[in-house]
């Protein structure tokens, strides 16, 4: 394993911004992960685990510690009757894994097609899209607890999964996810409740997970930026989950506001509020702007700075607070 010094982090994030890592290690085997953690302990360095960098904003000051970029690879499939368990190494690209399961004919993660990032990052925020979240198919996560230096297998119920959250998100940089197991089925279980997906299948039902995958990839291509063209970290803000009282007051004012009962309260469509209450689609500060086709997403052009993104985040957060009395939480991790 080779450790470099003062490595620029911008090329490793999809926002393409930010300063340097004091130390940087690229790990391709579990043994190298352990070696990198030993180096960090020996030099009393904080660690940052990096996958695809698709949910990360690094400040100009960079990271004064060791960044461990996880590039371990491998997908093992164990078939058992009508289902298969996939054991996937953390450094695999999430979407490559989904592509594989769909072409194998297994149902379960097809709605999660097109999400950038790695398999190891997926459990941290319990990635979700179009009515499906990782927790629905995940069997276990193997992770190194850096406080005790032990490799522990957490069953799904031990992972404390919630809306875009998990045990691993509650204590970021404590748990280094090494591999993940998911169970998928040959039985058709299409989840078509979200209107964008339902519209595709109004007259014909999907015949395979591949059909659903193709529909989702098409929908996402209309709504989300092409990372080859612009910088972005996907949805910059979480959809707020508010109390029934706050939701009732907002729905009384804005009867069209999409809202959904979830554990812990009512989930509101932030994109709708940004569009219909604040009218901020396309708002720009410097080289950062709210994406014209989906206002939850901040996109960055080649001239954007970290300050542009942070100022835009601050402006939107303050405007939503003033207009709707809702406190926004960034979905993107800011280092
Ligand atoms: P959308 O489908 O226009 O939905 C807008 C909002 O309404 C979202 O908050 C969504 O909740 C909710 N919603 C819509 N239909 C629902 C239903 N039938 N039941 C419960 N809630 C419903 O959202 P979009 O912005 O185009 O995004 C499409 C999907 O990709 C969404 O599921 C979104 O969350 C997901 N996405 C995930 C990430 C991520 O994990 N980082 C990033 C970008 C987009 P949910 O957010 O709970 O689905």
């Amino acid at each position: 394993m080779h450790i470099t010094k003062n490595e620029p982090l911008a090329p490793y994030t999809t926002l393409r911004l930010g300063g340097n890592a004091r130390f940087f290690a690229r790990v391709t085997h579990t043994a190298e992960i352990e070696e990198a953690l030993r180096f960090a302990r020996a030099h009393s360095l904080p660690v940052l685990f990096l996958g695809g960098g698709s949910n990360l904003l690094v400040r100009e000051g960079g990271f004064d510690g060791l960044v461990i970029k996880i590039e371990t690879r491998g997908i093992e499939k164990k078939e058992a009757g009508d289902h298969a368990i996939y054991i996937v190494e953390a450094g695999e690209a999430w979407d490559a894994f989904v592509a594989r399961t769909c072409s194998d004919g297994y149902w379960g993660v097809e709605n999660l097609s097109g999400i950038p990032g790695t398999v190891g990052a997926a459990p941290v925020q319990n990635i979700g899209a179009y009515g499906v979240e990782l927790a629905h198919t995940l069997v276990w996560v193997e992770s190194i607890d850096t406080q005790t230096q032990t490799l522990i297998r957490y069953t799904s119920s031990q992972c404390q999964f919630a809306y875009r959250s998990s045990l691993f998100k509650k204590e970021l940089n404590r748990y280094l996810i090494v591999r993940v197991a998911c169970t998928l089925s040959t039985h058709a279980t299409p989840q078509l409740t979200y209107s964008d997906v339902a519209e595709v299948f109004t007259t014909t039902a999907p015949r395979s997970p591949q059909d659903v995958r193709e529909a989702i990839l098409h929908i996402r291509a209309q709504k989300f930026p092409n990372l080859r063209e612009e910088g972005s970290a996907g949805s910059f803000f979480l959809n707020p989950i508010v109390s029934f009282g706050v939701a009732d007051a907002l729905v009384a004012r804005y009867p069209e506001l999409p809202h959904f009962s979830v554990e812990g309260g009512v989930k509101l469509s932030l994109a709708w509020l940004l569009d219909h209450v604040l009218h901020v689609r396309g708002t720009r500060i410097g080289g950062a702007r709210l994406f014209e086709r989906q206002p939850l997403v901040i996109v960055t052009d080649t001239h954007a700075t970290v300050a542009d993104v942070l100022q835009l985040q601050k402006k939107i957060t303050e405007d939503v607070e003033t207009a709707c009395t809702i406190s926004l939480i960034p979905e993107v991790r800011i280092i």
Side-chain angles (χ1 to χ4, degrees), residues 30 51 68 81 117 123 323:
T30 312
I68 303 178

Side-chain angles (χ1 to χ4, degrees), residues 16 53 80 141 143 151 157 163 173 182 184 189 212-213 217 268 270 279 289 296 318:
R16 303 177 199 155
V141 170
S143 145
L151 180 74
S157 58
Y163 184 64
N173 294 336
C182 289
L184 303 177
T189 49
V212 178
R213 173 172 168 77
L217 289 177
L268 305 176
L270 178 60
H279 309 286
R289 66 182 202 285
L296 281 189
E318 287 172 359

Side-chain angles (χ1 to χ4, degrees), residues 246-263:
V246 171
D248 285 349
L250 280 168
V251 173
R253 252 157 76 197
Y254 310 110
E256 311 273 286
L257 168 62
H259 58 287
F260 307 90
S261 281
V262 293
E263 212 183 306

Side-chain angles (χ1 to χ4, degrees), residues 146-203:
T146 57
Q147 280 189 1
T148 58
Q149 285 88 53
T150 44
L151 180 74
I152 301 173
R153 182 178 285 192
Y154 297 89
T155 61
S156 184
S157 58
Q158 291 171 322
C159 292
Q160 301 175 26
F161 286 127
Y163 184 64
R164 305 283 187 273
S165 182
S166 72
L167 165 73
F168 314 109
K169 191 168 176 177
K170 285 176 193 153
E171 283 189 78
L172 283 169
N173 294 336
R174 172 169 172 182
Y175 302 99
L176 189 157
I177 293 174
V178 173
R179 61 185 65 84
V180 164
C182 289
T183 180
L184 303 177
S185 172
T186 54
H187 294 294
T189 49
Q191 165 57 262
L192 311 175
T193 51
Y194 275 45
S195 57
D196 282 353
V197 188
E199 276 165 25
V200 179
F201 297 105
T202 40
T203 51

Side-chain angles (χ1 to χ4, degrees), residues 7-315:
E7 182 82 20
L9 289 173
Y12 297 105
T13 76
T14 56
L15 275 165
R16 303 177 199 155
L17 295 172
N20 296 354
R22 188 166 152 213
F23 295 101
F24 183 92
R26 209 183 271 274
V27 296
T28 54
H29 300 284
T30 312
E32 287 185 338
I33 295 177
E34 285 160 2
E35 198 184 332
L37 290 173
R38 273 198 301 277
F39 177 88
R41 274 201 308 283
H43 296 84
S44 305
L45 296 169
V47 285
L48 170 69
F49 313 134
L50 187 64
S54 57
N55 198 39
L56 192 65
L57 172 62
V58 179
R59 291 178 196 267
E60 297 294 1
F63 184 71
D64 189 18
L66 173 67
V67 171
I68 303 178
K69 174 133 175 26
I70 296 152
E71 296 187 348
T72 50
R73 306 297 297 271
I75 301 180
E76 186 189 346
K77 181 170 82 166
K78 293 180 178 171
E79 293 187 35
D82 60 0
H83 71 279
I85 306 268
Y86 285 81
I87 299 170
V88 193
E89 298 301 310
E92 285 286 342
W94 170 261
D95 194 52
F97 163 58
V98 176
R100 160 81 187 274
T101 65
C102 289
S103 77
D104 287 352
Y106 285 96
W107 296 82
V109 288
E110 60 283 354
N111 286 36
L112 304 179
S113 291
I115 297 180
T118 57
V119 167
V124 177
Q125 64 153 344
N126 182 22
I127 56 167
Y130 305 103
V132 172
E133 53 188 39
L134 177 67
H136 296 163
T137 53
L138 185 132
V139 187
W140 51 254
V141 170
E142 277 183 359
S143 145
I144 297 174
D145 181 345
T146 57
Q147 280 189 1
T148 58
Q149 285 88 53
T150 44
L151 180 74
I152 301 173
R153 182 178 285 192
Y154 297 89
T155 61
S156 184
S157 58
Q158 291 171 322
C159 292
Q160 301 175 26
F161 286 127
Y163 184 64
R164 305 283 187 273
S165 182
S166 72
L167 165 73
F168 314 109
K169 191 168 176 177
K170 285 176 193 153
E171 283 189 78
L172 283 169
N173 294 336
R174 172 169 172 182
Y175 302 99
L176 189 157
I177 293 174
V178 173
R179 61 185 65 84
V180 164
C182 289
T183 180
L184 303 177
S185 172
T186 54
H187 294 294
T189 49
Q191 165 57 262
L192 311 175
T193 51
Y194 275 45
S195 57
D196 282 353
V197 188
E199 276 165 25
V200 179
F201 297 105
T202 40
T203 51
T204 53
R207 283 161 301 156
S208 68
Q210 190 63 31
D211 284 354
V212 178
R213 173 172 168 77
E214 279 161 22
I216 300 274
L217 289 177
H218 182 72
I219 294 164
R220 289 187 73 103
Q222 317 297 311
K223 279 201 166 178
F224 294 100
N226 183 340
L227 290 176
R228 281 189 292 273
E229 290 164 11
E230 298 201 87
S232 168
S235 298
F236 203 90
F237 303 98
L238 288 171
N239 283 304
I241 295 178
V242 299
S243 67
F244 287 92
V246 171
D248 285 349
L250 280 168
V251 173
R253 252 157 76 197
Y254 310 110
E256 311 273 286
L257 168 62
H259 58 287
F260 307 90
S261 281
V262 293
E263 212 183 306
V266 181
K267 181 181 66 186
L268 305 176
S269 169
L270 178 60
W272 192 94
L273 290 169
L274 296 178
D275 263 350
H276 297 89
V277 179
L278 290 132
H279 309 286
V280 285
R281 224 176 243 249
T283 296
R284 175 184 278 277
I285 292 185
R289 66 182 202 285
L290 291 190
F291 192 46
E292 292 73 10
R293 285 182 269 151
Q294 165 51 288
L296 281 189
V297 172
I298 292 181
V299 283
T300 48
D301 64 26
T302 46
H303 309 294
T305 63
V306 176
D308 294 341
V309 176
L310 292 174
Q311 275 176 37
L312 185 55
Q313 177 211 2
K314 187 165 177 276
K315 176 185 165 32

